[in-house]
Amino acid sequence: TTLALAGSQLFSWTAVSGASEYQIQFDDQSDFSSPAVDAAGLPGPNYSVFLPVGTYFWRMRARAPGFGGVWGAWTSPWTVTIN
């Protein structure tokens, strides 16, 4: 779990070798049944987002052209609490 102050947050992760784009999701439910944020087509391994106060789960995945443009598996979710 990561704690952060309210406002715009920058989320970063390790680049995936050969990835052409990334997708990131934030949800207040661990099953990601109704993501508050679902952003795809990200060119690099970071994303800036404003999240209201609360606890969120977030995950990301990558797509590489060498694999037929298919999205890779989602990461295990991380948790962030915005105060």
Coordinates of all heavy atoms in Angstrom, one line a residue:
T1 N 0.8 -1.2 0.0 CA 0.0 0.0 0.0 C 0.9 1.2 0.0 O 1.8 1.3 0.7 CB -0.9 0.0 1.2 OG1 -1.8 -1.1 1.2 CG2 -1.8 1.3 1.2
T2 N 0.5 2.2 -0.8 CA 1.2 3.5 -0.9 C 0.3 4.5 -0.4 O -0.9 4.5 -0.8 CB 1.6 3.7 -2.4 OG1 2.5 2.7 -2.8 CG2 2.4 5.0 -2.5
L3 N 0.8 5.5 0.3 CA 0.0 6.7 0.7 C 0.4 7.9 -0.1 O 1.5 8.1 -0.3 CB 0.2 6.9 2.2 CG -0.3 5.8 3.2 CD1 0.1 6.2 4.6 CD2 -1.7 5.6 3.1
A4 N -0.6 8.7 -0.5 CA -0.4 9.9 -1.3 C -1.3 11.0 -0.9 O -2.4 10.7 -0.4 CB -0.5 9.6 -2.8
L5 N -0.9 12.2 -1.1 CA -1.8 13.3 -0.8 C -2.7 13.6 -2.0 O -2.3 13.3 -3.1 CB -0.9 14.6 -0.5 CG 0.0 14.5 0.7 CD1 0.8 15.8 0.9 CD2 -0.9 14.3 2.0
A6 N -3.8 14.2 -1.7 CA -4.8 14.5 -2.8 C -4.1 15.4 -3.8 O -3.3 16.2 -3.5 CB -6.0 15.1 -2.2
G7 N -4.5 15.2 -5.0 CA -4.0 16.0 -6.1 C -3.6 15.1 -7.3 O -3.8 13.9 -7.2
S8 N -2.9 15.6 -8.2 CA -2.4 14.8 -9.3 C -1.3 13.9 -8.9 O -0.3 14.4 -8.2 CB -2.0 15.8 -10.5 OG -1.6 15.0 -11.6
Q9 N -1.4 12.7 -9.3 CA -0.4 11.7 -8.9 C 0.3 11.1 -10.2 O -0.4 10.9 -11.2 CB -1.0 10.5 -8.1 CG -1.8 10.9 -6.9 CD -0.9 11.5 -5.8 OE1 0.3 11.1 -5.7 NE2 -1.4 12.5 -5.2
L10 N 1.6 10.9 -10.1 CA 2.3 10.3 -11.2 C 2.6 8.8 -10.8 O 3.2 8.5 -9.8 CB 3.6 11.0 -11.5 CG 4.5 10.4 -12.6 CD1 3.7 10.4 -13.9 CD2 5.8 11.1 -12.7
F11 N 2.1 7.9 -11.6 CA 2.3 6.5 -11.4 C 3.3 6.0 -12.4 O 3.2 6.3 -13.6 CB 1.0 5.7 -11.5 CG 0.1 6.0 -10.4 CD1 -0.8 7.1 -10.4 CD2 0.0 5.1 -9.3 CE1 -1.6 7.4 -9.4 CE2 -0.8 5.4 -8.2 CZ -1.7 6.5 -8.3
S12 N 4.3 5.2 -12.0 CA 5.4 4.7 -12.9 C 5.6 3.3 -12.6 O 5.3 2.8 -11.5 CB 6.7 5.5 -12.7 OG 6.5 6.9 -12.9
W13 N 6.1 2.6 -13.7 CA 6.4 1.2 -13.6 C 7.5 0.9 -14.5 O 7.9 1.7 -15.3 CB 5.2 0.3 -13.9 CG 4.6 0.6 -15.3 CD1 4.9 0.1 -16.5 CD2 3.6 1.6 -15.5 NE1 4.2 0.6 -17.5 CE2 3.3 1.6 -16.9 CE3 2.8 2.5 -14.8 CZ2 2.4 2.4 -17.6 CZ3 1.9 3.4 -15.4 CH2 1.7 3.3 -16.8
T14 N 8.1 -0.3 -14.3 CA 9.3 -0.7 -15.1 C 8.8 -1.0 -16.6 O 7.8 -1.7 -16.8 CB 9.9 -2.0 -14.5 OG1 10.2 -1.8 -13.2 CG2 11.1 -2.5 -15.3
A15 N 9.5 -0.4 -17.5 CA 9.2 -0.6 -18.9 C 9.3 -2.1 -19.3 O 10.1 -2.8 -18.8 CB 10.1 0.2 -19.8
V16 N 8.4 -2.5 -20.2 CA 8.4 -3.8 -20.7 C 9.2 -3.8 -22.0 O 8.9 -3.0 -22.9 CB 7.0 -4.3 -20.9 CG1 7.0 -5.7 -21.6 CG2 6.2 -4.4 -19.6
S17 N 10.2 -4.7 -22.1 CA 11.0 -4.7 -23.4 C 10.1 -5.0 -24.6 O 9.3 -5.9 -24.6 CB 12.0 -5.8 -23.2 OG 12.8 -5.9 -24.4
G18 N 10.2 -4.1 -25.6 CA 9.5 -4.2 -26.8 C 8.1 -3.7 -26.8 O 7.4 -3.8 -27.8
A19 N 7.6 -3.2 -25.7 CA 6.2 -2.7 -25.6 C 6.1 -1.5 -26.5 O 6.9 -0.6 -26.5 CB 5.9 -2.4 -24.1
S20 N 4.9 -1.4 -27.1 CA 4.6 -0.2 -28.0 C 3.6 0.7 -27.2 O 3.5 1.8 -27.6 CB 4.0 -0.7 -29.3 OG 2.9 -1.4 -29.1
E21 N 2.9 0.1 -26.3 CA 1.9 0.9 -25.5 C 1.5 0.2 -24.2 O 1.8 -1.0 -24.1 CB 0.7 1.3 -26.3 CG -0.1 0.1 -26.8 CD -1.4 0.4 -27.6 OE1 -2.1 1.3 -27.1 OE2 -1.5 -0.1 -28.7
Y22 N 0.9 1.0 -23.3 CA 0.5 0.4 -22.1 C -1.0 0.8 -21.8 O -1.5 1.7 -22.4 CB 1.4 1.0 -20.9 CG 2.8 0.7 -21.0 CD1 3.7 1.5 -21.8 CD2 3.3 -0.5 -20.4 CE1 5.0 1.1 -21.9 CE2 4.7 -0.8 -20.5 CZ 5.5 0.0 -21.3 OH 6.8 -0.3 -21.4
Q23 N -1.6 0.0 -20.9 CA -2.9 0.3 -20.4 C -2.9 0.3 -18.9 O -2.2 -0.6 -18.3 CB -3.9 -0.7 -20.9 CG -5.3 -0.4 -20.4 CD -6.3 -1.5 -21.0 OE1 -6.0 -2.4 -21.6 NE2 -7.6 -1.2 -20.8
I24 N -3.6 1.2 -18.2 CA -3.6 1.3 -16.8 C -5.0 1.4 -16.3 O -5.8 2.1 -17.0 CB -2.7 2.4 -16.2 CG1 -2.5 2.4 -14.7 CG2 -3.2 3.8 -16.7 CD1 -1.5 3.3 -14.2
Q25 N -5.4 0.8 -15.2 CA -6.7 0.9 -14.6 C -6.6 1.2 -13.2 O -5.7 0.7 -12.5 CB -7.5 -0.4 -14.8 CG -7.9 -0.7 -16.2 CD -8.7 -2.0 -16.3 OE1 -8.7 -2.9 -15.5 NE2 -9.6 -2.0 -17.4
F26 N -7.6 2.0 -12.7 CA -7.8 2.3 -11.3 C -9.2 2.0 -10.9 O -10.1 2.4 -11.6 CB -7.5 3.8 -11.0 CG -6.1 4.2 -11.2 CD1 -5.7 4.6 -12.5 CD2 -5.2 4.2 -10.2 CE1 -4.4 5.0 -12.7 CE2 -3.9 4.6 -10.4 CZ -3.5 5.0 -11.7
D27 N -9.4 1.3 -9.8 CA -10.8 1.0 -9.3 C -10.8 0.9 -7.8 O -9.7 0.6 -7.2 CB -11.2 -0.4 -9.9 CG -12.7 -0.6 -9.9 OD1 -13.4 0.0 -9.0 OD2 -13.2 -1.3 -10.7
D28 N -11.9 1.2 -7.2 CA -12.0 1.1 -5.8 C -12.4 -0.3 -5.4 O -12.5 -0.6 -4.2 CB -13.0 2.1 -5.2 CG -14.4 2.0 -5.7 OD1 -14.7 1.2 -6.6 OD2 -15.2 2.8 -5.3
Q29 N -12.6 -1.2 -6.3 CA -12.9 -2.6 -6.1 C -11.7 -3.5 -6.6 O -11.3 -3.2 -7.7 CB -14.2 -3.0 -6.8 CG -15.4 -2.2 -6.3 CD -15.7 -2.5 -4.9 OE1 -15.7 -3.6 -4.4 NE2 -16.0 -1.4 -4.1
S30 N -11.4 -4.5 -5.9 CA -10.2 -5.3 -6.3 C -10.4 -6.1 -7.5 O -9.5 -6.6 -8.1 CB -9.7 -6.2 -5.1 OG -10.8 -7.1 -4.8
D31 N -11.7 -6.3 -7.9 CA -12.0 -7.1 -9.1 C -12.1 -6.2 -10.4 O -12.3 -6.8 -11.5 CB -13.3 -7.9 -9.0 CG -14.5 -7.0 -8.8 OD1 -14.4 -5.7 -8.8 OD2 -15.6 -7.5 -8.7
F32 N -11.9 -4.9 -10.3 CA -11.8 -4.0 -11.4 C -13.1 -4.1 -12.2 O -13.1 -3.9 -13.4 CB -10.6 -4.2 -12.3 CG -9.3 -3.8 -11.6 CD1 -8.7 -4.8 -10.8 CD2 -8.8 -2.6 -11.7 CE1 -7.5 -4.4 -10.1 CE2 -7.6 -2.2 -11.0 CZ -7.0 -3.2 -10.2
S33 N -14.2 -4.3 -11.5 CA -15.5 -4.4 -12.2 C -16.1 -3.1 -12.8 O -16.9 -3.2 -13.8 CB -16.6 -5.1 -11.3 OG -16.7 -4.3 -10.1
S34 N -15.6 -2.0 -12.3 CA -16.1 -0.7 -12.8 C -15.0 0.3 -12.6 O -15.0 1.2 -11.7 CB -17.3 -0.3 -12.0 OG -17.8 0.9 -12.5
P35 N -13.9 0.3 -13.4 CA -12.8 1.1 -13.2 C -13.1 2.6 -13.2 O -13.9 3.1 -14.1 CB -11.9 0.8 -14.4 CG -12.3 -0.5 -14.9 CD -13.8 -0.6 -14.6
A36 N -12.6 3.3 -12.3 CA -12.7 4.8 -12.2 C -11.9 5.4 -13.3 O -12.3 6.5 -13.9 CB -12.3 5.3 -10.9
V37 N -10.8 4.8 -13.7 CA -9.9 5.2 -14.8 C -9.5 4.0 -15.6 O -9.1 3.0 -15.0 CB -8.7 5.9 -14.2 CG1 -7.7 6.3 -15.4 CG2 -9.0 7.2 -13.5
D38 N -9.6 4.1 -16.9 CA -9.2 3.0 -17.8 C -8.5 3.7 -19.0 O -9.2 4.2 -19.9 CB -10.3 2.2 -18.2 CG -9.9 1.0 -19.1 OD1 -8.7 0.8 -19.4 OD2 -10.8 0.2 -19.5
A39 N -7.2 3.8 -18.9 CA -6.5 4.6 -20.0 C -5.6 3.6 -20.8 O -4.7 2.9 -20.2 CB -5.6 5.7 -19.3
A40 N -5.8 3.5 -22.1 CA -5.0 2.7 -23.0 C -4.3 3.6 -24.0 O -4.6 4.8 -24.1 CB -5.9 1.7 -23.7
G41 N -3.3 3.0 -24.7 CA -2.6 3.8 -25.7 C -1.5 4.6 -25.1 O -1.0 5.6 -25.7
L42 N -1.1 4.4 -23.8 CA -0.1 5.2 -23.2 C 1.3 4.8 -23.8 O 1.7 3.7 -23.9 CB 0.0 4.9 -21.7 CG -1.3 5.1 -20.9 CD1 -1.2 4.7 -19.5 CD2 -1.8 6.5 -21.1
P43 N 2.1 5.8 -24.3 CA 3.3 5.5 -25.0 C 4.5 5.1 -24.1 O 5.4 4.6 -24.6 CB 3.6 6.8 -25.7 CG 3.0 7.9 -24.8 CD 1.7 7.2 -24.3
G44 N 4.4 5.4 -22.8 CA 5.5 5.1 -21.9 C 5.0 4.6 -20.6 O 3.8 4.6 -20.3
P45 N 6.0 4.2 -19.7 CA 5.6 3.5 -18.5 C 5.4 4.5 -17.3 O 5.9 4.4 -16.2 CB 6.9 2.6 -18.2 CG 8.0 3.4 -18.8 CD 7.4 4.1 -20.0
N46 N 4.5 5.5 -17.6 CA 4.1 6.4 -16.5 C 2.7 7.0 -16.9 O 2.4 7.0 -18.1 CB 5.1 7.4 -16.2 CG 5.6 8.1 -17.5 OD1 4.8 8.8 -18.1 ND2 6.8 8.0 -17.8
Y47 N 2.0 7.5 -15.9 CA 0.7 8.0 -16.1 C 0.4 9.0 -15.0 O 0.5 8.6 -13.8 CB -0.4 6.9 -16.2 CG -1.8 7.4 -16.5 CD1 -2.1 8.0 -17.7 CD2 -2.8 7.3 -15.6 CE1 -3.4 8.4 -18.0 CE2 -4.1 7.8 -15.8 CZ -4.3 8.3 -17.1 OH -5.6 8.8 -17.4
S48 N -0.1 10.2 -15.3 CA -0.5 11.2 -14.3 C -2.0 11.2 -14.3 O -2.6 11.3 -15.3 CB 0.1 12.5 -14.7 OG -0.2 13.5 -13.7
V49 N -2.5 11.2 -13.1 CA -4.0 11.1 -12.9 C -4.4 11.8 -11.6 O -3.6 11.8 -10.6 CB -4.5 9.7 -12.9 CG1 -3.9 8.9 -11.8 CG2 -6.0 9.6 -12.9
F50 N -5.5 12.5 -11.6 CA -6.1 13.0 -10.4 C -7.1 12.0 -9.8 O -8.0 11.6 -10.6 CB -6.8 14.4 -10.6 CG -7.5 14.9 -9.4 CD1 -6.8 15.6 -8.4 CD2 -8.8 14.6 -9.1 CE1 -7.4 16.0 -7.3 CE2 -9.4 15.0 -8.0 CZ -8.7 15.8 -7.0
L51 N -6.9 11.6 -8.6 CA -7.9 10.7 -8.0 C -8.4 11.3 -6.7 O -7.7 11.9 -5.9 CB -7.2 9.4 -7.6 CG -6.7 8.5 -8.7 CD1 -5.8 7.4 -8.2 CD2 -7.8 7.9 -9.5
P52 N -9.8 11.3 -6.5 CA -10.3 11.8 -5.3 C -9.8 11.0 -4.1 O -9.3 9.9 -4.2 CB -11.8 11.6 -5.5 CG -12.0 11.4 -6.9 CD -10.8 10.8 -7.5
V53 N -10.0 11.5 -2.9 CA -9.6 10.9 -1.7 C -10.3 9.5 -1.6 O -11.5 9.3 -2.0 CB -10.1 11.7 -0.4 CG1 -9.9 10.9 0.9 CG2 -9.3 13.0 -0.4
G54 N -9.5 8.5 -1.3 CA -10.0 7.1 -1.2 C -8.9 6.1 -1.4 O -7.8 6.5 -1.5
T55 N -9.3 4.8 -1.3 CA -8.3 3.8 -1.6 C -8.6 3.1 -2.9 O -9.8 2.8 -3.2 CB -8.4 2.7 -0.5 OG1 -8.0 3.3 0.8 CG2 -7.4 1.5 -0.7
Y56 N -7.6 2.9 -3.7 CA -7.8 2.4 -5.1 C -6.8 1.3 -5.3 O -5.7 1.2 -4.7 CB -7.5 3.5 -6.1 CG -8.4 4.7 -6.0 CD1 -8.1 5.8 -5.2 CD2 -9.6 4.7 -6.8 CE1 -9.0 6.8 -5.1 CE2 -10.4 5.8 -6.7 CZ -10.1 6.8 -5.8 OH -11.0 7.9 -5.7
F57 N -7.2 0.4 -6.2 CA -6.4 -0.7 -6.7 C -6.0 -0.2 -8.1 O -6.8 0.4 -8.8 CB -7.2 -2.0 -6.8 CG -7.6 -2.5 -5.4 CD1 -8.9 -2.1 -5.0 CD2 -6.8 -3.3 -4.6 CE1 -9.3 -2.5 -3.7 CE2 -7.3 -3.7 -3.4 CZ -8.5 -3.3 -2.9
W58 N -4.7 -0.5 -8.5 CA -4.4 -0.2 -9.8 C -3.5 -1.3 -10.4 O -2.8 -2.0 -9.7 CB -3.7 1.2 -9.9 CG -2.3 1.3 -9.3 CD1 -2.0 1.5 -8.0 CD2 -1.1 1.4 -10.0 NE1 -0.7 1.6 -7.8 CE2 -0.1 1.6 -9.0 CE3 -0.7 1.3 -11.3 CZ2 1.3 1.7 -9.4 CZ3 0.6 1.4 -11.7 CH2 1.6 1.6 -10.7
R59 N -3.6 -1.4 -11.7 CA -2.8 -2.4 -12.5 C -2.5 -1.9 -13.8 O -3.1 -0.9 -14.3 CB -3.6 -3.7 -12.5 CG -4.9 -3.6 -13.3 CD -5.7 -4.8 -13.3 NE -7.0 -4.7 -14.1 CZ -7.8 -5.7 -14.3 NH1 -7.6 -6.9 -13.7 NH2 -8.9 -5.5 -15.0
M60 N -1.6 -2.6 -14.5 CA -1.2 -2.2 -15.9 C -0.9 -3.4 -16.7 O -0.7 -4.5 -16.1 CB -0.1 -1.2 -15.9 CG 1.2 -1.6 -15.2 SD 2.3 -2.8 -16.0 CE 2.6 -2.1 -17.6
R61 N -0.9 -3.2 -18.0 CA -0.4 -4.2 -18.9 C 0.2 -3.6 -20.1 O 0.0 -2.4 -20.4 CB -1.5 -5.2 -19.3 CG -2.7 -4.5 -20.0 CD -3.8 -5.6 -20.3 NE -4.9 -5.0 -21.0 CZ -5.9 -5.7 -21.5 NH1 -5.9 -7.0 -21.4 NH2 -6.9 -5.1 -22.1
A62 N 0.9 -4.3 -20.9 CA 1.6 -3.8 -22.1 C 1.2 -4.6 -23.4 O 0.7 -5.7 -23.3 CB 3.1 -3.9 -21.9
R63 N 1.4 -3.9 -24.5 CA 1.2 -4.5 -25.8 C 2.5 -4.3 -26.6 O 3.0 -3.2 -26.7 CB 0.0 -3.9 -26.5 CG -0.2 -4.5 -27.8 CD -1.6 -4.3 -28.5 NE -2.2 -3.0 -28.3 CZ -3.5 -2.8 -28.6 NH1 -4.3 -3.8 -29.1 NH2 -4.1 -1.6 -28.4
A64 N 2.9 -5.4 -27.3 CA 4.1 -5.4 -28.1 C 3.7 -5.8 -29.5 O 3.0 -6.8 -29.7 CB 5.1 -6.3 -27.5
P65 N 4.1 -5.1 -30.5 CA 3.8 -5.5 -31.9 C 4.3 -6.8 -32.3 O 3.8 -7.5 -33.1 CB 4.4 -4.3 -32.7 CG 5.3 -3.5 -31.9 CD 4.9 -3.9 -30.5
G66 N 5.4 -7.2 -31.7 CA 6.0 -8.5 -32.0 C 5.2 -9.7 -31.6 O 5.4 -10.8 -32.0
F67 N 4.1 -9.5 -30.8 CA 3.3 -10.6 -30.4 C 1.9 -10.4 -31.0 O 0.9 -10.8 -30.4 CB 3.1 -10.6 -28.8 CG 4.4 -10.9 -28.2 CD1 5.2 -9.8 -27.5 CD2 4.9 -12.1 -28.1 CE1 6.4 -10.1 -26.9 CE2 6.2 -12.4 -27.5 CZ 6.9 -11.4 -26.9
G68 N 1.9 -9.9 -32.2 CA 0.6 -9.8 -33.0 C -0.3 -8.7 -32.4 O -1.5 -8.7 -32.7
G69 N 0.3 -7.8 -31.7 CA -0.5 -6.7 -31.1 C -1.5 -7.1 -30.0 O -2.4 -6.3 -29.6
V70 N -1.3 -8.3 -29.4 CA -2.1 -8.7 -28.4 C -1.7 -8.1 -27.0 O -0.5 -8.1 -26.8 CB -2.1 -10.3 -28.3 CG1 -2.9 -10.8 -27.1 CG2 -2.6 -10.9 -29.6
W71 N -2.6 -7.7 -26.2 CA -2.3 -7.2 -24.9 C -1.7 -8.4 -24.0 O -2.2 -9.5 -24.1 CB -3.5 -6.7 -24.2 CG -3.9 -5.3 -24.7 CD1 -5.0 -5.1 -25.5 CD2 -3.3 -4.1 -24.4 NE1 -5.0 -3.7 -25.8 CE2 -4.0 -3.1 -25.1 CE3 -2.2 -3.7 -23.7 CZ2 -3.7 -1.7 -25.1 CZ3 -1.8 -2.3 -23.6 CH2 -2.6 -1.4 -24.3
G72 N -0.7 -8.1 -23.2 CA -0.1 -9.0 -22.2 C -1.1 -9.1 -21.1 O -2.1 -8.5 -21.0
A73 N -0.7 -9.9 -20.1 CA -1.5 -10.1 -18.9 C -1.4 -8.9 -18.0 O -0.4 -8.2 -18.0 CB -1.0 -11.4 -18.1
W74 N -2.5 -8.7 -17.2 CA -2.5 -7.7 -16.2 C -1.5 -8.0 -15.1 O -1.3 -9.2 -14.8 CB -3.8 -7.5 -15.6 CG -4.9 -6.9 -16.4 CD1 -5.9 -7.6 -17.0 CD2 -5.0 -5.6 -16.8 NE1 -6.7 -6.7 -17.7 CE2 -6.2 -5.5 -17.7 CE3 -4.3 -4.4 -16.6 CZ2 -6.6 -4.2 -18.2 CZ3 -4.7 -3.2 -17.1 CH2 -5.8 -3.1 -17.9
T75 N -0.8 -7.0 -14.6 CA 0.0 -7.2 -13.4 C -0.9 -7.5 -12.2 O -2.1 -7.3 -12.2 CB 0.8 -5.9 -13.0 OG1 -0.2 -4.8 -12.7 CG2 1.7 -5.5 -14.1
S76 N -0.3 -8.0 -11.1 CA -1.1 -8.1 -9.9 C -1.3 -6.7 -9.4 O -0.5 -5.8 -9.6 CB -0.2 -8.8 -8.8 OG 0.0 -10.2 -9.2
P77 N -2.5 -6.4 -8.8 CA -2.8 -5.1 -8.5 C -2.0 -4.5 -7.3 O -1.6 -5.3 -6.4 CB -4.3 -5.1 -8.1 CG -4.6 -6.6 -7.8 CD -3.6 -7.4 -8.6
W78 N -1.7 -3.2 -7.4 CA -1.1 -2.5 -6.3 C -2.3 -1.7 -5.6 O -3.3 -1.5 -6.2 CB -0.1 -1.5 -6.8 CG 1.1 -2.1 -7.3 CD1 2.2 -2.6 -6.6 CD2 1.5 -2.3 -8.7 NE1 3.1 -3.1 -7.5 CE2 2.7 -3.0 -8.8 CE3 0.8 -2.0 -9.9 CZ2 3.3 -3.3 -10.0 CZ3 1.4 -2.4 -11.1 CH2 2.6 -3.0 -11.1
T79 N -2.0 -1.2 -4.4 CA -3.0 -0.4 -3.7 C -2.4 1.0 -3.4 O -1.3 1.0 -3.0 CB -3.4 -1.1 -2.4 OG1 -3.9 -2.4 -2.6 CG2 -4.6 -0.3 -1.7
V80 N -3.2 2.0 -3.6 CA -2.8 3.3 -3.2 C -4.0 4.0 -2.4 O -5.1 3.8 -2.8 CB -2.4 4.2 -4.4 CG1 -3.6 4.4 -5.4 CG2 -1.9 5.5 -4.0
T81 N -3.6 4.7 -1.4 CA -4.6 5.4 -0.6 C -4.3 6.9 -0.7 O -3.2 7.4 -0.5 CB -4.6 5.0 0.9 OG1 -4.9 3.7 1.0 CG2 -5.5 5.8 1.7
I82 N -5.3 7.7 -1.2 CA -5.2 9.1 -1.4 C -5.9 9.8 -0.2 O -7.0 9.5 0.1 CB -5.9 9.5 -2.7 CG1 -5.5 8.7 -3.9 CG2 -5.7 11.0 -2.9 CD1 -4.0 8.9 -4.3
N83 N -5.1 10.6 0.5 CA -5.6 11.3 1.7 C -5.8 12.8 1.4 O -5.1 13.4 0.7 CB -4.5 11.2 2.8 CG -4.4 9.8 3.3 OD1 -5.4 9.1 3.4 ND2 -3.2 9.5 3.7

